[in-house]
Amino acid sequence: MSVTPWDDQSGADERRATGFGAGGDEPYAAALSGAGTLQMRAADASGPRRDAPVVEFDVARWSAPADQVDRSLLNGVDGPLIDLGCGPGRMVVAAQCAGVPALGVDLSAAAVRVARRAGADVVRGSVFDPLPAEGYWDTALLIDGNIGIGGDPVRLLRRAGAIIRVGGSVIVEAHPDPRMDRRFDAVVTDRRGRVSAAFPWAEIGLEALLDSADQAGLIPRAAWTVAHRTFCDLTR
Ligand SMILES: C[S@@+](CC[C@H](N)C(=O)[O-])C[C@H]1O[C@@H](n2cnc3c(N)ncnc32)[C@H](O)[C@@H]1O
């Protein structure tokens, strides 16, 4: 499998600056070295909107080994798996340990460093840029809120659909509230007052996910909730 040398790509800096929790005081990179929690809020030109709901992210969970629910996503998966927005790489490591060929993709240099240290095969770059073996992956993961990447779930699902093979799976984690449907510019902050640059994000529950999948040309195969986490298996 050939891997594009992302770290050398020219023109990639602007994209990286708009990734989850990046830019500004780099709260995501800081959390990855300290494994705390992060808060995400809608933002406008003057910064985080005080009236906006706060979304908590548990970076410690992402940095820990895959838990039972995470590992259950690998049941029946034996062909190549790609984790889109893999963060510190726990799903890639879990897949590799289960004998499944796996690759992670992430914009964050800090996340890629941590993932590689943990033994995960990871490329640094955007899911919207060309990826190795597009159209051949059995399974693509969009979990831990990653359906929000880019702030446009239809575009992201269309992209994920092009990455998997015909008959493959895009496993998406939906927001626990089935009616959630919001797209916004967000910033990530931490308890020490670090603030990221703004980036586009979305949160969608099962209803909007099914609608977005339909618009993206993907077909739902199953949806299930386990331990307050909701997943949907989409195919093309
Ligand atoms: C909500 S976090 C989820 C982290 C993760 N799934 C884990 O296990 O740690 C979103 C992740 O997606 C990455 N990301 C954001 N935009 C991206 C893009 N366009 N392409 C690839 N990764 C992206 C971020 O750097 C971050 O690691």
Side-chain angles (χ1 to χ4, degrees):
M1 180 183 294
S2 75
V3 172
T4 313
W6 296 96
D7 305 45
D8 301 332
Q9 276 187 357
S10 58
D13 285 343
E14 196 182 326
R15 283 196 305 275
R16 286 175 190 152
T18 58
F20 174 91
D25 309 313
E26 297 283 351
Y28 183 42
L32 285 168
S33 51
T37 59
L38 291 174
Q39 296 76 44
M40 182 173 67
R41 272 197 186 83
D44 54 27
S46 56
R49 279 180 29 205
R50 297 291 157 202
D51 59 335
V54 179
V55 182
E56 287 278 337
F57 288 104
D58 183 0
V59 180
R61 183 174 72 77
W62 300 340
S63 300
D67 65 18
Q68 208 179 339
V69 176
D70 294 330
R71 289 195 311 273
S72 71
L73 302 178
L74 304 175
N75 289 344
V77 173
D78 51 11
L81 172 146
I82 186 162
D83 186 2
L84 304 174
C86 65
R90 73 184 195 288
M91 294 303 297
V92 177
V93 170
Q96 289 174 343
C97 289
V100 174
L103 181 72
V105 183
D106 205 286
L107 266 186
S108 157
V112 168
R113 250 192 323 271
V114 177
R116 285 181 181 155
R117 260 202 312 266
D121 284 327
V122 178
V123 290
R124 183 183 179 200
S126 171
V127 300
F128 296 108
D129 288 333
L131 290 173
E134 283 189 23
Y136 290 97
W137 296 92
D138 271 14
T139 305
L141 297 181
L142 278 172
I143 65 169
D144 306 322
N146 285 1
I147 186 63
I149 289 175
D152 181 347
V154 175
R155 174 172 177 243
L156 181 61
L157 288 172
R158 207 172 274 134
R159 177 71 186 121
I163 289 170
I164 57 164
R165 65 171 173 79
V166 174
S169 282
V170 182
I171 297 180
V172 185
E173 183 167 2
H175 190 277
D177 175 355
R179 298 221 167 108
M180 175 61 71
D181 187 3
R182 65 184 196 123
R183 291 131 234 258
F184 50 102
D185 284 333
V187 291
V188 160
T189 58
D190 67 13
R191 304 257 182 242
R192 296 194 164 192
R194 295 185 186 94
V195 184
S196 75
F199 57 97
W201 199 251
E203 289 187 305
I204 60 173
L206 193 57
E207 288 181 13
L209 174 59
L210 292 174
D211 186 49
S212 302
D214 187 50
Q215 291 181 57
L218 296 179
I219 303 154
R221 263 201 296 229
W224 65 100
T225 297
V226 51
H228 308 293
R229 297 176 70 188
T230 298
F231 301 96
C232 188
D233 178 1
L234 305 168
T235 190
R236 74 171 171 109

